[in-house]
Structures are given as structure tokens and as C-alpha cells.
Amino acid sequence: MKKVIIDGNSLTLKDLVNVARHGYKVELDSEARKRVEKSRAFVDKLVNEEKVVYGITTGFGKFSDVVITKDEAKDLQRNLIISHACGVGPHFSEDVVRAIMVMRANALSKGFSGIQPKTLDTLIQMINKGVHPAIPEKGSLGASGDLAPLSHMVLPLIGDGEAYYEGELMDGKKAMEMAGITPVELTSKEGLALINGTQVLTAVGALTTYDAKNLAKLADISASLTLEALNGIVDAYDERVHKVRPHKGQMDTAKNFLRIVKDSERTTRQGEIRVQDAYTLRCLPQIHGASKDAINYVLGKVHIEMNGVTDNPLIFADDEDAISGGNFHGQPMALPFDFLKIAIAEIANVSERRIERLVNPALSGLPAFLTKKGGLHSGFMIAQYAAAALVSENKVLAHPASVDSIPSSANQEDHVSMGTIAARGARDIYYNASRVIAIELISAAQAIDFELDNPKLGEGTKVAYEKIREVVATWEDDRVMYRDINKAAELIDANVIVEAVEEAIGELEF
């Protein structure tokens, strides 16, 4: 059985993707279970001794000065969930929901949250049996955690709300019954432990960062196809150029281009046709490389956050202490995800400029809009319009969410991160960017087909070209364009081209 063992410390991005997208099961590590049990025992002690501890024997937010009796503990936790479940908008996709659930379970397994082991076990059961809470995308400030969306995650756990089971949206209690899972009754600290965290913003951002890494590799491949279609100059990728300005992403990208177009008969050297190319070809190591460096920075932050404890208060059972802090604040991830938005948007920006160079006869030397029958046929004219619209939308979406803050809870929570908005923005920019690259792929393949003597493609570009031509035929006459764009996009979504090229020439540098 394919499974991921969670212990609060060693969850990887690949593990997350395997659970979220490939149906891997989740199992709690035995040592982690002992930590959870010990943490819970200390919470029970605090309640029995009626110690005043935020969220355990007090209200929440502005109500932190209201003391709650031991007899009211269960009502307090249920009231927390049902009152905070006020998300709006469309539901997150299944892979995002599964990522949210496994990251929350992983954080709880560290043993600093005071949850009952049976509650954690029930959450894991929901992952393994495919009960996916219906979680609206909007309504989180990204501080005090993702309170609203995580409350929606918890509703089916307590037999309420809505969930998807076997692809059908239904009452949460019914979904649990059909999966054979018994809902739990929350007690002291548990509601807060389940919702006071950054797992929604991190799940969305983590999956987007994973996809962005593959898209950045694909951008090197699509750009290489354009380079060959335009008889581009490879001297700009010479290792010596980049060693004297040794940014890792820049050096890696230059190496990738030379490997992808190795043995090509279509590329040129400086002076053979022209002395130098425009920036969108000549400066690709610098442009793509900068985005890769940004993505790698975000990956580092994602790995830290995936194995962090982000609720409040934190239970230090070994020290018999409970401390109210601010680990729920999304700022450490809000800024990186805003950075990710810019990094992905720039990949699309430069791709659209390459598309323009392909379709504009004044820049390419090829037939206008890549059609042999210009006038009667429009060819790829409006495909460039679509790419331009997507990159323009990305420029709006790339505005940083984290520069905004609106105080909440009667000014008790007076600075918030808006990190969930940043992560969702990165996801939306990624989608747009992937469709721009899809347009470049089919445009470059079309341009390549105008070479009458069919000179040899490079080792990597040949593989990419063949994968494109398996699903999109050469354009002779106008046809419905969106279908071809969608077919190319499906190759991107399944990472087909990157995997095929890497199989042929080895893993690309990143």
C-alpha cells in the first residue's frame, strides 16, 4: 500500500503531492502518537485544575478575558467551529482539500496542540477513506490561522457541514456514515487546535510552488523550441558568460538551454545571421533564472511551514506549560507567496513576448501569423491576443496581498497577513501562465514546420516537438483554436513534456 507516515517533522512536498493527488494513505507515527497522548494529558490537567489558559478555559479573540468553566468546555469548542464556518465562494479542489487535511494532521502530530488522539485518528480516517470537506475558498485573513476555511474542514468531523464523498457533494454527517467513520465530540482545546493554523494558505501555495517548478522547466523547453524556430544564437548561453555573474538560476538555465538544443541544426552562432538576439531570447538565463531562484526560495519556506506548529496556545507538556504566541500568523508565508506570484507572472510575460516574435513577420521572417494563406486565414493572430490578455490579468493578480491588513476581533487581532489571498493569487497566476506556455508550444511547433528542408532539432526539442504533434497537428487551414490550446494545456497539466524531455536528456537543472 502506498502510504505516507506523518510525525510532524519529516513531511516533504513530494509526500504532500502523493497524498493530495495520487491517493496515498496516511499513517500516524508511533512516537508521534505518544507525544499527542502526553500533550492531551496535560490539557486535561489544566482543565481539571481550572487554570486560566487562552482558548482552553477562556473565550477567543476579544473574549480572551471571559473565563469558561469546565462544564462549558465542550460547548465552547463546538460553538467555535460552527460560528467560524463562514467561508464564501466556490469550494477548493479535492487535491487542495487533501493537502490541507494532511498538513493539519501533521502539525497536530508534533504533540504541541493538546488534541485527543481519537480526534486526530478520525481526521486521518477521513483522508484515507476519501471524505473531503466542502471548504469555500474565500474568507480567511491568514492570521489567527485560516479560521473560516479550517472550520469548514472540521464540520464533517463533528457530523455537520458538507463533504464530497465518491465525487458527490452531500451532508457531512451522511458522508461520514457512508465512509463508516464515527464523528467526534470535541472537548477542551480541540476546536482551536484544529482551526488555528496556516494549513489552507500553505496547502494552496505548496501545490502551486510544486507546479511552478515544473512550469519553469517547461518554459526552458518552450523557449528552446522558439529559439530553434527563429534560428536563435546560442553564444549567449556560454557557461563563461554566467560564471562571471554566478546566480544559480541563471547558470542552471543557461545549461538547460544548451542541453535541450544540443546537436540542433537550427540554432546559430553570433554573426552567422545576426550579431545578437532580442532580450526575450538572449536574456533568458537571466529572466527564467531569476524566477527559478524565487521559486527555490519559496520551496524552502514551504518545507519549513509544512512541518511547523501554527496554532495557539502551544502545549509544552514536558515543561508543564501553555504559552500564547503568534505562530498562527501567516506573514512568513504571505510574503513568499506574493514573491511566487511575481516569479510565475514573469515566466508568462516573457513567453508572450516570444509568441509575438513568432507571429509577427517583421520580427520572425516567417509568414504572418504562421499561416500560408494570410488574409483568407488568420492563423495564430488571436492566439497572441489570448496570451496578451492572460499576462495582463496576471499583472493585476501579482499585486501583493500581504501589503494590506484590516484589523479584526475588535482590534485584538490588529494586523493580519492576507496570506491565503496571496496563495490563491499565485495559483490563479500559475493557471494563466500555463496557458500562455501552451500557446507558445503550439506556435513554436507551427513555426518550425515552415522550414522546408526540415533541419534537425535538438535532442530535447525534438522530443518536445513530437509530444506536441501527437495531440496537435500542423495548421494548414484555420480551425477552432481553443481545442488545440486545451490539448497542449493537458500536456502541461500532466507534466508530459518535461518528463519526456528529462527521460531523453536527463533531469533539467533547477
Side-chain angles (χ1 to χ4, degrees):
M1 181 178 68
K2 294 179 177 179
K3 64 182 179 182
V4 170
I5 297 174
I6 57 172
D7 60 9
N9 300 308
S10 54
L11 185 68
T12 67
L13 187 52
K14 187 63 178 175
D15 291 335
L16 186 76
V17 171
N18 281 335
V19 174
R21 295 177 174 170
H22 305 306
Y24 277 45
K25 306 298 184 184
V26 176
E27 183 179 309
L28 181 63
D29 174 73
S30 58
E31 290 301 313
R33 180 176 296 278
K34 292 176 184 177
R35 295 194 300 268
V36 172
E37 291 169 348
K38 187 173 184 178
S39 176
R40 181 64 215 176
F42 180 60
V43 169
D44 289 338
K45 180 181 177 183
L46 291 171
V47 174
N48 289 331
E49 295 176 356
E50 297 186 337
K51 300 284 188 182
V52 177
V53 180
Y54 172 73
I56 299 177
T57 55
T58 76
F60 309 106
K62 180 63 176 175
F63 293 133
S64 61
D65 55 353
V66 178
V67 176
I68 305 299
T69 68
K70 181 168 59 176
D71 295 336
E72 295 172 320
K74 289 183 179 179
D75 286 344
L76 173 69
Q77 300 304 314
R78 179 175 176 81
N79 290 343
L80 172 71
I81 300 303
I82 62 176
S83 68
H84 285 44
C86 52
V88 299
H91 297 152
F92 281 117
S93 59
E94 181 179 298
D95 62 339
V96 170
V97 172
R98 289 180 63 80
I100 292 167
M101 295 169 79
V102 71
M103 277 201 290
R104 195 73 208 121
N106 189 58
L108 295 170
S109 74
K110 286 180 80 77
F112 296 99
S113 301
I115 198 162
Q116 293 183 103
K118 69 176 182 180
T119 303
L120 177 54
D121 289 339
T122 303
L123 179 59
I124 292 172
Q125 274 188 287
M126 291 170 66
I127 299 169
N128 291 341
K129 293 187 176 183
V131 176
H132 303 126
I135 305 177
E137 291 190 353
K138 301 181 182 184
S140 176
L141 299 176
S144 279
D146 288 304
L147 294 173
L150 285 174
S151 294
H152 284 272
M153 181 197 78
V154 177
L155 285 174
L157 183 77
I158 62 175
D160 210 326
E162 294 180 304
Y164 291 89
Y165 182 68
E166 296 184 344
E168 182 183 347
L169 179 64
M170 62 184 71
D171 178 80
K173 185 178 181 181
K174 180 182 177 182
M176 296 289 274
E177 289 173 354
M178 290 184 68
I181 306 172
T182 303
V184 299
E185 185 177 26
L186 301 179
T187 187
S188 49
K189 177 64 167 74
E190 291 197 285
L192 200 57
L194 285 161
I195 71 170
N196 202 194
T198 62
Q199 282 67 43
V200 174
L201 69 92
T202 306
V204 176
L207 293 176
T208 302
T209 309
Y210 178 86
D211 292 336
K213 179 176 179 178
N214 288 327
L215 189 70
K217 288 183 176 182
L218 181 62
D220 286 353
I221 296 167
S222 67
S224 294
L225 282 165
T226 298
L227 181 78
E228 294 201 53
L230 298 175
N231 306 124
I233 301 164
V234 294
D235 296 72
Y237 312 137
D238 189 297
E239 184 180 32
R240 293 169 293 178
V241 173
H242 306 287
K243 275 188 171 181
V244 298
R245 193 198 190 193
H247 292 287
K248 183 180 183 301
Q250 177 178 331
M251 292 190 294
D252 287 348
T253 302
K255 289 177 186 176
N256 285 348
F257 275 106
L258 292 178
R259 288 173 58 202
I260 294 167
V261 303
K262 183 181 178 183
D263 295 336
S264 171
E265 295 175 356
R266 294 170 179 262
T267 58
T268 61
R269 305 302 299 268
Q270 57 189 28
E272 289 181 349
I273 296 178
R274 52 192 171 271
V275 176
Q276 59 184 22
D277 284 323
Y279 287 5
T280 48
L281 296 179
R282 182 167 27 122
C283 299
L284 283 173
Q286 293 80 5
I287 300 169
H288 284 192
S291 287
K292 290 173 187 170
D293 285 341
I295 293 167
N296 269 320
Y297 169 77
V298 179
L299 283 169
K301 293 297 184 182
V302 164
H303 281 113
I304 293 170
E305 193 74 357
M306 283 171 53
N307 291 288
V309 182
T310 55
D311 56 291
N312 176 54
L314 296 178
I315 306 302
F316 297 96
D318 290 341
D319 304 324
E320 293 204 338
D321 206 355
I323 301 176
S324 288
N327 279 2
F328 50 72
H329 202 294
Q331 195 81 347
M333 299 310 301
L335 270 65
F337 290 149
D338 275 334
F339 195 14
L340 179 65
K341 293 194 311 189
I342 297 169
I344 303 172
E346 278 301 286
I347 290 172
N349 279 353
V350 71
S351 175
E352 185 277 329
R353 289 293 81 199
R354 293 193 298 266
I355 295 167
E356 168 64 11
R357 299 199 77 80
L358 288 166
V359 303
N360 186 335
L363 302 174
S364 69
L366 296 167
F369 307 113
L370 304 177
T371 179
K372 296 176 182 176
K373 305 171 184 177
L376 176 63
H377 295 280
S378 295
F380 282 67
M381 180 190 294
I382 309 303
Q384 185 265 330
Y385 286 36
L390 291 168
V391 298
S392 185
E393 181 179 343
N394 280 352
K395 291 167 189 176
V396 176
L397 292 170
H399 179 83
S402 57
V403 299
D404 183 42
S405 177
I406 297 178
S408 55
S409 195
N411 233 39
Q412 174 76 355
E413 298 164 6
D414 53 357
H415 180 279
V416 295
S417 76
M418 302 300 181
T420 316
I421 298 171
R424 287 174 39 236
R427 178 203 57 188
D428 293 346
I429 288 172
Y430 166 81
Y431 175 85
N432 289 345
S434 69
R435 272 50 191 171
V436 174
I437 297 293
I439 293 170
E440 182 182 10
L441 289 170
I442 61 175
S443 300
Q446 178 74 6
I448 284 167
D449 287 342
F450 282 104
E451 290 276 5
L452 297 178
D453 56 351
N454 195 29
K456 180 181 175 184
L457 285 165
E459 289 185 2
T461 43
K462 179 178 183 294
V463 174
Y465 173 85
E466 290 171 350
K467 286 296 178 185
I468 296 163
R469 284 288 171 252
E470 285 177 9
V471 297
V472 177
T474 303
W475 273 51
E476 300 297 337
D477 300 318
D478 280 352
R479 59 178 187 251
V480 179
M481 173 64 79
Y482 82 87
R483 292 174 182 150
D484 287 350
I485 296 172
N486 288 348
K487 288 174 184 177
E490 286 171 6
L491 295 178
I492 296 174
D493 292 344
N495 205 34
V496 168
I497 294 175
V498 172
E499 290 178 359
V501 170
E502 289 191 327
E503 184 177 351
I505 69 173
E507 187 173 356
L508 294 172
E509 302 287 339
F510 195 96

